[in-house]
Amino acid sequence: MRDAIELEWAGIPAVPIIHEAVRGSAESMARLSGHPDYDFVVVDYPWTPTAIWNDDEIQTLAREIAPTVIARLCGKEGGKQDGNAGDSVEGRTGD
């Protein structure tokens, strides 16, 4: 999260991708950085928060979140869930 905020400060658009398990920490970092409403994409379960994914799972996740990330980078409204920062993306396993 902090890396994305620092990229934004340098004029480089960024879209942080955060797992639901660390969403609270990401929101805290945004607040501490002076950007309490900084938007991000949330990856939810069944994607594991430790990001130990096989190649098929990585490809599936990338296909699912790419449209949201691209929309955010292009300045289009990607939507906010329940009025809070972060859109949830529900994952699927490659099983």
Side-chain angles (χ1 to χ4, degrees):
M1 174 61 87
R2 179 63 187 221
D3 292 342
I5 292 171
E6 289 189 19
L7 286 169
E8 295 275 358
W9 287 340
I12 301 168
V15 179
I17 301 167
I18 307 297
H19 195 278
E20 181 64 37
V22 295
R23 181 181 195 144
S25 296
E27 290 170 344
S28 293
M29 180 56 67
R31 272 192 310 279
L32 289 170
S33 299
H35 299 279
D37 295 325
Y38 191 77
D39 214 2
F40 50 89
V41 176
V42 177
V43 177
D44 207 344
Y45 293 99
W47 301 105
T48 59
T50 55
I52 301 173
W53 307 318
N54 65 39
D55 290 344
D56 290 336
E57 290 171 323
I58 293 168
Q59 292 294 325
T60 299
L61 179 58
R63 279 192 295 277
E64 287 182 17
I65 64 174
T68 301
V69 171
I70 291 167
R72 300 271 174 83
L73 289 174
C74 293
K76 298 175 183 170
E77 179 59 38
K80 291 185 179 181
Q81 183 176 1
D82 300 325
N84 298 318
D87 278 342
S88 289
V89 177
E90 292 189 20
R92 295 184 300 270
T93 60
D95 296 337

